[in-house]
Structures are given as structure tokens and as C-alpha cells.
Amino acid sequence: MSTAPPNRTIVITGCSSGFGRLTALHLAKLDWHVFATVRKEADQTSLLVEAAIRGCKHNLTTVICDITQAEQVAALAQTIGTSTPRLDALLNNAGTGFPAPLELLALDDLRTQLEINVIAQLAVTQALLPLLKAARGVIINVSSVNAHISLPVTGAYSASKSTLEGLSDVLRLELAPFGVRVVMIEPMATFTHLWETIGQRSRVIRDRHLDGPYIRLITTGETIAIWLAKKGFRPQLFVDTVLKILSSRHPNARYVVPGIARGLIFLHQVVPQKLWDWVLRRMYKW
Ligand SMILES: NC(=O)c1ccc[n+]([C@@H]2O[C@H](COP(=O)([O-])OP(=O)(O)OC[C@H]3O[C@@H](n4cnc5c(N)ncnc54)[C@H](OP(=O)(O)O)[C@@H]3O)[C@@H](O)[C@H]2O)c1
């Protein structure tokens, strides 16, 4: 027999670090019951220890799940289905980035990029939809400003996020009759573990192509990425946006974080493409 947690329920993927971890702990503290996925046992332990310190461990259930593994996604749905008959929210947060100029990008890296940031997002959504429909819940997909603005070296990541936006727009229409809302959060850059992962991958590409024509583009890309991430917004703004969505009966389709970055997306839409490209090439010294 299923025993429903008394409070509202949410699944958050990718809670070992960054936005996912912060949001999981914050919502658990606010008496949501959070099912937080991680990939490693060490991350499970550290998340539970931090929740205990913050006094919200009783509201947190950790589940080991690599979202690209079908059997682990099925097990995730099974675990949640046995603890609750309805799920109020799903935050599809897990994600990664594979930086490289497209000529040098390993096609297997592109496949992995799309597998994690696109296909696995839909896999988790499909698996949890029966529970989300039962609650007329909300699905929040974490996209990026990069879905709208593509920069050199980040082609694979941009492609994954703009494809995720396409899926989310369709899901929103298809799930409307079931009362399930679909929302995208589009963060600008801010420093999280993601940037360390991207930095490490970039250094591998750089070391492999030290004498090649793309070396300047790769190193400038790294400098710009570090600058953007360090100048980034307070990660708590991401959590505040999730809270705003969860408390709204009629949320918007997309939320840019911070809101001011909407201006950049607008600029990209109105500035002539030739001028935009000229500015970017100046920025990247390319
Ligand atoms: N930080 C930014 O500037 C920024 C900007 C725009 C959008 N975003 C998006 O925000 C989301 C969260 O990123 P973050 O910045 O918080 O980075 P993060 O700290 O690196 O968190 C990413 C999370 O995704 C998990 N993950 C990666 N691959 C996975 C897989 N195959 N299965 C399950 N989990 C997986 C990671 O787990 P492991 O620790 O096990 O790898 C980690 O928990 C991502 O979708 C990212 O694209 C971030």
C-alpha cells in the first residue's frame, strides 16, 4: 500500500551540487517532500548530512539515478510511486556541457550531450507523468540563455538547450488538457560545479590541439566563460524562481534568470545578424 507523504512532493534531478542541491535543501526546509536524485553514494551521504544539519532530513528522500540509464529511471519512478500516489512537481535540473569548436567536437561527446540534456529529460518526464497528471502538477525544465544565444565553442550545449526548449513548448501544449503545466527556467551563467566540468573538458581539447588553428578561440572561450560565471547572479535567484513557479497557478512559459538578461535575448533578436557576428568575433578575437 502506498503511503503518501503529507506535504507537497517534488522530484529534483541532479542534486549533488549547484542549483539542484540548493533547491532541494531549500524546499525540504519549506516542508516540501523532496525526492532528490544523485549519481554517487558519496553525494547521497553528503546531501543527507547537510539536510540533517539544516533540520530538514525528514523531508528529503535521496535516490541514486543516472538519468541516461533506462532501468534507473524506471526504478526512480517505482520508488516514488510506492511512496506517493501523486507528484506536484518535477524539476528537470540535471545537465552538463561539452565545450569544443564544432570541427573538433567528438561526435560521441555530442551524442552524450544530447542524451543527457535532451533525451534523458524526456525519459524522466515520461516515467513520472502518471504521478504528475494525478496531481495536475508542474514540470520545470532547466534550459539556458544559450538556447537563444549561441556562442563559439558552446555549440553542443546550445544545441541541447534549444532542442529542450522545442520539446518543452510542445509538451506544454500537449499536457495542458491534463492540467499539467510545463515551464522553462533560462539561467544566464553563474559559478557552479558545471563550470569546473566544462573547464576540465575544455583543457583536454586545448591540450590536444595546442598547435591547431582553434587554440586562440578555445583559450578566449575559457577566459570569457570564467568571466561570465564569476560575474554571475546569486544562485539563490534560481531557487526563488522555482518557488515563484511552484506558487503560481498560471506560471509563464519561460523565466529568464536574472530577469535583466531578457534584454540580452531581445538585443539578439533585433540587432542585425552581421553586426551581432562582428561584435562576437571582436570579443573572441576571431
Ligand atoms: N551554472 C550555470 O551557469 C548554468 C547556466 C544555465 C543553465 N544551467 C543549467 O542548470 C542545470 C544545473 O546545473 P548547475 O549549474 O547546477 O551544475 P552542476 O553543479 O554541475 O549540477 C549538475 C547536476 O547534474 C547532474 N548530472 C549530470 N549528468 C547526469 C546524468 N547523466 N544523470 C543524472 N544526473 C546528472 C550532476 O551530477 P554529478 O555530480 O554526478 O555529475 C549534478 O548533480 C543544468 O541543466 C545546467 O545546464 C546552468
Side-chain angles (χ1 to χ4, degrees):
M1 199 182 70
S2 71
T3 48
N7 28 16
R8 294 178 76 195
T9 49
I10 184 168
V11 169
I12 306 179
T13 61
C15 294
S16 64
S17 57
F19 297 150
R21 186 178 179 112
L22 203 59
T23 310
L25 291 166
H26 197 96
L27 287 179
K29 194 76 192 154
L30 292 179
D31 257 354
W32 277 72
H33 193 90
V34 180
F35 296 92
T37 81
V38 294
R39 288 197 288 185
K40 300 177 217 80
E41 275 180 23
D43 291 327
Q44 193 171 29
T45 308
S46 103
L47 190 56
L48 287 170
V49 167
E50 190 170 350
I53 292 166
R54 293 181 183 215
C56 57
K57 190 177 166 202
H58 56 290
N59 284 334
L60 194 72
T61 303
T62 53
V63 187
I64 297 275
C65 181
D66 181 325
I67 59 169
T68 63
Q69 302 303 308
E71 69 288 358
Q72 293 188 29
V73 172
L76 169 71
Q78 169 93 30
T79 303
I80 291 154
T82 51
S83 7
T84 177
R86 54 198 293 284
L87 183 62
D88 295 290
L90 164 64
L91 176 59
N92 276 317
N93 164 77
T96 194
F98 285 86
L102 290 176
E103 185 175 354
L104 308 181
L105 179 68
L107 293 183
D108 276 342
D109 286 350
L110 178 59
R111 288 188 186 99
T112 308
Q113 176 75 88
L114 297 174
E115 188 69 43
I116 296 174
N117 284 17
V118 180
I119 296 166
Q121 311 292 323
L122 187 61
V124 173
T125 302
Q126 287 177 344
L128 297 176
L129 258 174
L131 296 172
L132 286 159
K133 282 180 177 171
R136 297 174 77 81
V138 58
I139 298 165
I140 307 174
N141 287 336
V142 183
S143 176
S144 167
V145 167
N146 282 106
H148 303 284
I149 300 176
S150 303
L151 299 173
V153 194
T154 63
Y157 184 75
S158 278
S160 73
K161 293 299 188 182
S162 56
T163 308
L164 180 65
E165 296 247 342
L167 288 186
S168 304
D169 278 330
V170 173
L171 262 183
R172 190 178 63 254
L173 294 168
E174 291 179 349
L175 295 179
F178 301 102
V180 175
R181 289 141 295 145
V182 180
V183 179
M184 281 161 268
I185 300 185
E186 299 172 339
M188 182 104 177
T190 192
F191 196 77
T192 60
H193 193 261
L194 178 71
W195 292 93
E196 284 170 38
T197 311
I198 288 175
Q200 277 163 15
R201 289 176 180 151
S202 179
R203 283 190 289 281
V204 171
I205 304 281
R206 183 184 358 128
D207 292 348
R208 240 185 247 151
H209 298 279
L210 278 179
D211 302 324
Y214 285 106
I215 190 64
R216 189 151 55 136
L217 188 64
I218 298 169
T219 48
T220 316
E222 284 176 3
T223 311
I224 290 175
I226 292 167
W227 182 82
L228 277 173
K230 292 227 162 115
K231 293 267 172 212
F233 62 92
R234 281 181 308 112
Q236 181 61 31
L237 263 187
F238 178 93
V239 181
D240 295 345
T241 307
V242 173
L243 288 174
K244 193 169 166 181
I245 295 165
L246 293 177
S247 61
S248 167
R249 208 36 242 164
H250 302 287
N252 298 334
R254 16 176 81 70
Y255 290 80
V256 181
V257 182
I260 198 162
R262 271 197 302 269
L264 200 59
I265 296 173
F266 176 72
L267 204 64
H268 177 247
Q269 284 161 349
V270 297
V271 167
Q273 193 68 58
K274 278 187 180 159
L275 175 59
W276 184 266
D277 287 0
W278 180 81
V279 171
L280 276 189
R281 287 185 57 188
R282 294 276 296 199
M283 257 176 75
Y284 281 80
K285 306 186 184 96
W286 188 245

